[in-house]
């Protein structure tokens, strides 16, 4: 079964769906997003930039929304998905990591080739081996409303809630080649 996935940022939004077009047009605002098929999964290869309540532009800059897409609080991310798309589950993220070579190298394989900070003299950029093109969009703290991590981190919400205060997210970092599944809920990706 093919599924469509959306990545959400405030984490960023990655969406998942059934189908295999190279792009999708959001009928709500007419924006077109690149998609990529990895294994049997079809993913948005760009972060969603659909404005909803509790979604933000990094540093409140429209230019950052154009570059990175919007950052979403988890509840907003659940409702931001275009018709036919959904927030990926933690299992769908595990499948993605497996399809790109495993947890230990998934970050390197999925990260964009530019935009990531260097670490100890080494490039933080990835190789974008699958056209997924993850950008280091950072995040927004929910409690204080502070923005952090652009250039360093990319976080993607999952639909899998572990507790009323926690949900899984996929994390990519400038200083690591792996893609980590962790959980938190008090931020906007």
């Amino acid at each position: 079964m093919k599924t469509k996935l959306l990545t959400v940022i405030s984490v960023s939004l990655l969406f998942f769906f059934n189908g295999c077009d190279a792009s999708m047009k959001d009928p709500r605002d007419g924006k077109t997003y690149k998609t990529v098929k990895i294994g049997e999964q079809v993913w948005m290869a760009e972060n969603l930039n659909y404005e909803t309540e509790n979604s933000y532009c990094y540093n409140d800059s429209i230019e950052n929304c154009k570059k990175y897409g919007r950052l979403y609080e988890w509840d907003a991310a659940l409702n931001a998905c275009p018709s036919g798309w959904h927030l990926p589950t933690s299992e769908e993220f595990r499948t993605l990591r497996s399809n790109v070579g495993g947890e230990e190298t998934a970050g390197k394989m999925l990260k964009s080739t530019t935009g990531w900070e260097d670490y100890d003299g080494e490039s933080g950029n990835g190789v974008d081996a699958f056209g997924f093109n993850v950008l280091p969009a950072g995040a927004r703290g929910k409690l204080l409303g502070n923005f952090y991590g652009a250039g360093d981190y990319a976080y993607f919400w999952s639909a899998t809630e572990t507790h009323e205060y926690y949900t899984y997210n996929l994390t990519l970092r400038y200083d690591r080649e792996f893609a980590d599944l962790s959980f938190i809920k008090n931020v906007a990706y």
Side-chain angles (χ1 to χ4, degrees):
M1 175 179 144
K2 295 179 185 172
T3 310
K4 296 180 185 180
L5 295 172
L6 169 74
T7 310
V8 178
I9 262 194
S10 196
V11 158
S12 300
L13 285 179
L14 262 186
F15 294 99
F16 187 69
F17 90 124
N18 292 317
C20 58
D21 295 334
S23 66
M24 66 80 69
K25 186 173 184 175
D26 190 337
R28 300 170 298 179
D29 61 9
K31 290 183 180 131
T32 300
Y33 297 91
K34 191 172 109 177
T35 64
V36 62
K37 183 176 180 184
I38 300 174
E40 293 300 311
Q41 299 174 318
V42 176
W43 296 83
M44 285 182 69
E46 297 178 63
N47 291 327
L48 189 68
N49 191 13
Y50 180 73
E51 188 172 356
T52 66
E53 186 174 341
N54 297 320
S55 71
Y56 313 91
C57 294
Y58 192 92
N59 280 342
D60 298 319
S61 166
I62 278 294
E63 291 307 310
N64 284 329
C65 270
K66 290 177 185 174
K67 180 177 182 177
Y68 296 123
R70 297 189 73 80
L71 303 174
Y72 298 84
E73 293 179 13
W74 186 70
D75 292 339
L78 288 174
N79 297 312
C81 305
S83 179
W85 292 78
H86 69 270
L87 229 52
T89 64
S90 59
E91 279 306 309
E92 288 167 330
F93 274 138
R94 285 183 181 94
T95 299
L96 172 67
R97 290 189 314 188
S98 177
N99 285 340
V100 300
E103 176 182 354
E104 296 302 315
T105 60
K108 180 179 182 177
M109 294 298 173
L110 297 173
K111 289 191 296 186
S112 62
T113 58
T114 61
W116 293 81
E117 295 295 328
D118 293 343
Y119 179 72
D120 281 345
E122 297 291 323
S123 172
N125 294 323
V127 297
D128 192 23
F130 296 87
F132 202 73
N133 198 40
V134 173
L135 297 173
R140 179 185 182 273
K142 186 173 181 178
L143 299 177
L144 300 176
N146 57 313
F147 295 93
Y148 60 92
D152 296 332
Y153 306 103
Y155 305 96
F156 300 99
W157 288 124
S158 88
T160 307
E161 190 174 29
T162 61
H163 180 276
E164 77 177 284
Y165 300 110
Y166 299 103
T167 185
Y168 278 98
N169 67 71
L170 184 71
T171 304
L172 286 76
R173 301 169 46 125
Y174 71 102
D175 60 345
R176 307 260 165 74
E177 291 187 356
F178 63 84
D180 185 40
L181 266 176
S182 56
F183 41 88
I184 192 166
K185 198 187 269 184
N186 63 348
V187 295
Y189 298 138

